[in-house]
Amino acid sequence: MEALLTRHLDPVAPLNLVAYQATGGYRSLTSAFDLKPEKIIGIVEAANLRGRGGAGFPCGLKWRLRGADAPSPRYLICNLDESEPGTFKDRYLLYGGPHQIIESIIVSAFALQAERAFIFVRGEYAKGGNALNQAIQEAETAGLLGTNIRGSGFNLQIEAHLSGGRYICGEETAQINAIEGKRPNPRHKIPRPSTHGLWGQPTTTNNVETLINVPHILLNGADWFRELGVNGGCGSKLFCVSGKVKHSGLFELPCGTPARELIFEHAGGLDENRALLGFLPGGASTAFLLPKHLDVPMDFDPIAKAGSRLGTGSIIVLDDATCPVEVTLNLMRFFARESCGFCTPCRDGLPYLTQILTTISSGSGRADDLALLDELCATIASQSFCAFAPGAVMPLVSSLKCFHDHYEHHVTTGRCPFNEANKNGA
Amino acid sequence: MGKIMLDGHAIPFKLGDNILQTALEANLEIPHFCYHAALGSLGACRLCAVEITPKDSGKAPRVAMACLEPSEDGLKVSVSAIAAQQVRQHVIEFLMINHPHDCPICDEGGECHLQDMTVVCGPPYRRYRGRKRTFPNQDLGPLIHHEMNRCITCYRCTRFYQDYALGNDLGAMRLRNEVYFGRFQDGPLENPFAGNLVEVCPTGVFTDAIFRQHFARVWDLKTAPSICPHCSVGCNTLPGARDGTLRRVRNRAHPELNRWFICDRGRYGHQYSEHSARPLAPRVSGTDTSYHDALNAAASQIKSTQDCIGGLGSTREDLEGNAMLQALLNNLGGIFTAFSDPKLETATIAAVSSLQNIGNAPSLAEIEQIDAALIIGDLTAHAPMIDLALRQAYRKGAKLAFLYSSPTPLAQFATTAITVSPQEMCTELSRLYQLINAQSAAEDITDTPMTDIAASLMGARKSLLIGAIETMTSQEVSTLSKLATALGSDTKLAYAFSGANAYGAALLSPTGSAVAMLEAVEAGQIRILIVAGNDPLGDSRFGTRWRAACRNLSALIVLDCILTATAKAADILFPVAAWTERGGTFINYEGRAQGFATVFHRPEYLPNVARVITDLAQYLGHSLQAAPSVLGDIFSDFQIPKPGTTGSLITAPSLPMPATASAHSIQESCNSTWQAALASWYGDEALASFAPGLMALTPKTVAMIEPTSAIDAGIKNGSKIKLRGSSGSMVLSVRFNQDVATGTIAIARNVLVQLGVGHGDSLELEQVL
């Protein structure tokens, strides 16, 4: 498949407005403004574009459910707060070509009839954020933003908001609080942000990768988009592969491409003499999959059926020289550190899990610790305030299942076998 | 009305209530931490887990948070379900990971919500084997002790402090299991309602630092329903005492007044009764003596000067004390008034009279519902809880308008704020009255802020006009009342009086009696003055005249529980019981009579004022009726309100509106262009000024002047000026402040007293090089 989303990206020298327009950029505005907003939403729905931020919620449905009669002002938030370990696709989009993002937001905001859009940029992407601001200014000067864009009668103002820099700011309602200048704790989702979001107004949040598909869908049609996928997947997808592979990186491939192809073909496979132990299919907050899942299409439903989540489509590979207990502990340290501190199970439960895992990993775990981990995870996953904690315990719960023998070994022998193997190897 | 099925019991609910509110309303406890009736649901602690069986029979029961689930008719809810119990156990287990388990040395022990919930929910043992997280604590000032390690992160403190009380110097900082509730840096909490953190916190993070200085376990405290004596709002309190000393004061909910909170003056002002200089033994001519000898001395003085006696009650003295003093004076043929300041007397009587005509003042609960208010003067100092009620109205979108002469903290929430010098206040109010009476605010286009105020009051659904009596003249009071009449029945009128029983004192004091008393003393017609709970010699405006006049007395007999200037000068001093040491009745700003009970007795014999007067009458050969029947004679069918009840509005004969021609009492002899204004703060009150904890927070004594008028007069910010009044002079440094009216110098009460000038009086200014 020819690259679609990444075709004109250049992280070293991203295209300016003129160059971007020369590649056909901003053409989708003409298509969009010729259509009624409801019609665009219908096309996006027909294209079966599912959210690329992790949850996979159908984009068109999200837009339609907000309602065309939502009171003004209406807001669109482009979520570019990518902080998931192992995920670096949004960064590539941001640094590679800010005008593609702006174009996507204009047509999406037109579909939603939103008069103000925010791009919430991860704090560490400050340079990209600056370039984005310059691109916004270029677009404003060229009349692509502002009032009555290209005579369509549609007004739009875009602001890039650089995050203070916390993982929780990627959560929809925490992000809304952050943009409002408040402490980024998640909000209760009744009433929903689609009706009571930013400053109490109708607000739609989409991941940046979701949005950049929209201009292509408008230009080429829903059927064309669906057919870009393979094995039942729809559209093009950005996959990140990292961990114990030869060539980690970002790959744009048809949605539904199996992990085997991603890991062994595109990422060059594992080091010589190493075997695959397992992999995380969609970023740190998804469940581990095993070598037997290599041929499952990397698409939302098949991966869910296999017991994990497609998440952000970011594969992290473990080989047989990597201690899965230590990998899990590393992930849990991250989540315990990034908890916003709002609800009890997440705030105090994750450090508790981390503490137990630390003892197991260091060889001082007890036989009943594994059952205790399972017991605590059940409450943390089901009784937390937002989706952060369920995601945080997912790798741990699956790791306890997938790599049970490794945990048992740590507990019964009182040491980590991989440590010794590494020492012997060295 | 629908019903939910809570563990098999049908519990009715109000529409819009959640399951937790429904259960608590029915006195059924669902364990919870972060929910608070005043602060609402949050969903952070996850303790109020209940099992809900969806009405849709196909769905499996699920565990949900009772504080976030709306009550629906027929909804099946179980608190006792095993699944819900397990969640609650896990939540407690998580909270206990870092909690220090220092209950034996924790001040909260015995009234700790965390302790209760842990015992109720379990688990009784801990499994966590790691290290505990620890925090450094902050110095939050003299009133509140900080112990962050005990925190369970329920966010109640910030929700109260920032969202409810609109303070901005305490908040949540950092994240994960290191969320820290405190100030940006050490320092006293600035909000005048900060003390409520002690009660809002479900564990021992914020505890009462004053209580801590002389601590007792809460189960050892003697308590009884009391009424706060520190202002005219009449908040209900629950003082606690042990071993003959008062240890602390807490809020006691009144459904229409203070429901969950009290102000810091009410919580910490009680230290006056434990002050080291408090008179505890009767004193005759400077020598401690017995109660019997003091009565004998007083009786013989009175007998030797027949027909030349005056009785000065007080606005902070209870109804019984004032009425008994009045009864004694009636028997002796002397005159009685409760006011030492004639201006305060006419203003107070004018206010009570206008409330009687227009209708009673709104309760705090009603004030929270208004959508526009006009505020004259500083409520934060004169009625702090009315300030807090107006903050709630502001949160709901009410427009607050201010006319004020000196800084008032509430003005930071103003829609329109106009500084007006004391001497122009009446003119400005009259202009507003004309604007509203003309029914067409548009006519006077040049006068924008004032037309804004008129428009917002006229457009309001429910509005409030309120003024602080101490800084108002009777003309201003009557103009404000005329304004209320002009605005119609949707407008409520209220006054923040000076003194817990000012309303009651006004009902007992004939108009003009204060000036008559002062003149009689000056003329030597009164030779014996009995003062109960008043401080004429320490008065700012009339202190000079009183001090001179009192030299004519053959005996100054004082009954008080604090060592005022008057008590110091007394020939015969009867120390009396403080408010927590006696029962009595106060009439609050609404006209609500509320009873308070004796909480405890000190080891010393300290009778109340009514007792001393009754005994004195007996030594004089008169027999007075008991206070209830004396009051019954004055107010027909008056029943002494029972302490612990909500009280009832007093029915009293209508007071005549005082003649408003007393403007000449403003000193015009002085040709200075500067006027004095009272710079008040919330700790500034007769009793509370004997509370060391609060006094440690007293603002620096400076002369606050509006920058433009200061610069016009060649005065620099930070420079020194000498102020001169009728009784003295004082050098102060200048502090520019936009919230002071033009041509006005705002100074603290103790400075006014020292200079011998009142609010609105002229004073002389001289630059010091």
Side-chain angles (χ1 to χ4, degrees), chain A residues 36-226:
Chain A
K36 286 216 153 64
E38 307 90 83
K39 178 73 181 157
I40 302 177
I41 294 176
I43 295 170
V44 172
E45 245 183 317
N48 194 20
L49 170 64
R50 294 181 64 172
R52 305 306 202 216
F57 192 81
C59 176
L61 182 62
K62 187 186 241 180
W63 289 3
R64 192 156 56 79
L65 288 179
R66 194 217 56 187
D69 55 353
S72 193
R74 296 167 288 247
Y75 300 113
L76 170 65
I77 301 175
C78 169
N79 192 343
L80 214 160
D81 188 43
E82 174 179 70
S83 308
E84 184 84 4
T87 308
F88 37 83
K89 61 185 182 68
D90 297 352
R91 180 176 64 184
Y92 195 72
L93 294 175
L94 173 68
Y95 283 80
H99 278 292
Q100 178 174 234
I101 299 172
I102 296 167
E103 177 182 2
S104 316
I105 290 173
I106 296 171
V107 291
S108 305
F110 178 73
L112 287 158
Q113 288 294 297
E115 44 268 82
R116 209 164 157 200
F118 293 87
I119 307 172
F120 193 91
V121 181
R122 179 179 170 178
E124 287 82 352
Y125 296 171
K127 271 189 179 171
N130 290 340
L132 183 63
N133 268 325
Q134 281 173 16
I136 291 172
Q137 271 178 15
E138 271 188 301
E140 277 170 357
T141 314
L144 294 164
L145 289 170
T147 50
N148 190 18
I149 301 168
R150 289 199 174 165
S152 62
F154 175 63
N155 308 329
L156 178 68
Q157 187 194 343
I158 300 184
E159 280 165 58
H161 179 114
L162 195 67
S163 170
R166 297 276 35 140
Y167 181 78
I168 192 63
C169 293
E171 201 276 342
E172 182 182 12
T173 54
Q175 191 164 84
I176 287 173
N177 273 334
I179 294 174
E180 287 186 13
K182 294 177 181 154
R183 185 183 166 85
N185 287 347
R187 293 182 183 177
H188 188 43
K189 287 195 179 172
I190 297 171
R192 300 199 167 278
S194 56
T195 56
H196 294 77
L198 266 178
W199 298 290
Q201 290 300 118
T203 303
T204 311
T205 300
N206 287 110
N207 176 257
V208 60
E209 186 194 343
T210 315
L211 293 180
I212 58 163
N213 281 292
V214 176
H216 299 286
I217 295 172
L218 283 182
L219 289 170
N220 300 301
D223 294 340
W224 167 87
F225 180 79
R226 277 206 314 276

Side-chain angles (χ1 to χ4, degrees), chain A residues 335-354:
Chain A
F335 288 118
R337 191 190 78 201
E338 290 298 323
S339 168
C340 74
F342 183 70
C343 76
T344 308
C346 177
R347 179 188 64 241
D348 289 324
L350 298 182
Y352 191 179
L353 298 177
T354 310

Side-chain angles (χ1 to χ4, degrees), chain A residues 166 168 183 185 188 190 336-349 351-352 355-356 359 364-366 368-369 372 375-376 379-380 382-385, chain B residues 42-46 49 63-65 68 86-87 90-95 97-98 126-131 133 152-155 172-179:
Chain A
R166 297 276 35 140
I168 192 63
R183 185 183 166 85
N185 287 347
H188 188 43
I190 297 171
R337 191 190 78 201
E338 290 298 323
S339 168
C340 74
F342 183 70
C343 76
T344 308
C346 177
R347 179 188 64 241
D348 289 324
Y352 191 179
Q355 189 272 330
I356 299 170
T359 58
S364 47
R366 293 184 192 166
D368 52 1
D369 277 349
L372 179 58
E375 180 198 326
L376 296 175
T379 295
I380 295 170
S382 64
Q383 300 306 327
S384 294
F385 188 80
Chain B
L42 186 69
C45 75
R46 316 309 276 179
V63 175
M65 296 306 138
L68 296 178
Q86 275 176 352
V87 170
H90 276 142
V91 169
I92 294 288
E93 183 179 6
F94 293 148
L95 292 174
I97 287 177
N98 293 308
R126 58 190 283 119
R127 298 186 282 189
Y128 178 70
R129 310 193 300 272
R131 289 166 68 90
R133 164 272 279 134
I152 58 162
T153 326
C154 68
Y155 289 84
M173 288 166 274
R174 305 172 67 174
L175 74 169
R176 51 181 167 268
N177 60 349
E178 293 168 6
V179 179

